[in-house]
């Protein structure tokens, strides 16, 4: 979890250093991927039940020709490291249950 703490702190600090508004709520997009569509879909349902908005799954081809499926789970919240980490912790048991990979999170600059 230290890796996610470091990465999350870096992203938040970079956005704030660039002048992003610390007083607004942000749409935080958590990214997920799995080679098994059925498992990915089950994880998406569980994340939805846990309070996250989920996007439709997309199919992607990797450089080596392998196919993966991916989707995002979003939540609107303050640009706060502890809040974002709490959401990641809430997601982890679901991802582990289905063998879905967490591929980080992102958001957009806000003036």
């Amino acid at each position: 979890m230290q890796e996610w703490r470091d990465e999350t702190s870096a992203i938040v600090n970079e956005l704030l250093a660039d002048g992003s508004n610390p007083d607004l709520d942000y749409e935080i997009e958590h990214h997920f991927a799995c080679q098994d569509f059925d498992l990915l879909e089950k994880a998406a349902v569980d994340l939805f039940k846990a309070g996250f908005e989920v996007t439709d799954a997309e199919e992607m081809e990797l450089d080596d020709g392998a196919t993966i499926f991916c989707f995002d789970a979003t939540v609107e919240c303050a640009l706060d490291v502890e809040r974002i980490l709490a959401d990641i912790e809430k997601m982890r048991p679901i991802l582990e249950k289905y063998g879905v990979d967490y591929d980080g999170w992102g958001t957009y600059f806000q003036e």
Side-chain angles (χ1 to χ4, degrees):
M1 194 62 190
Q2 185 61 43
E3 173 187 349
W4 290 118
R5 176 174 294 285
D6 294 345
E7 185 172 318
T8 298
S9 294
I11 293 169
V12 168
N13 289 335
E14 287 172 19
L15 280 165
L16 295 176
D18 287 343
S20 198
N21 190 333
D23 299 323
L24 297 178
D25 281 343
Y26 287 73
E27 185 171 300
I28 307 296
E29 300 174 349
H30 297 272
H31 312 292
F32 309 95
C34 186
Q35 289 185 319
D36 185 316
F37 180 81
D38 292 332
L39 293 175
L40 185 82
E41 187 175 46
K42 290 175 182 178
V45 169
D46 282 6
L47 286 168
F48 179 77
K49 288 177 181 177
F52 298 96
E53 294 293 321
V54 297
T55 62
D56 292 334
E58 296 181 26
E59 183 176 345
M60 296 182 66
E61 186 174 323
L62 301 177
D63 292 338
D64 65 2
T67 299
I68 62 165
F69 301 95
C70 53
F71 76 96
D72 294 336
T74 62
V75 63
E76 199 164 301
C77 68
L79 194 59
D80 176 72
V81 172
E82 295 306 320
R83 168 64 197 272
I84 295 167
L85 290 172
D87 284 339
I88 294 170
E89 279 297 312
K90 186 176 177 181
M91 295 173 184
R92 283 181 59 190
I94 295 168
L95 303 177
E96 290 171 4
K97 177 179 177 181
Y98 297 109
V100 171
D101 294 324
Y102 181 72
D103 197 27
W105 68 273
T107 193
Y108 300 96
F109 182 88
Q110 301 249 11
E111 290 189 24

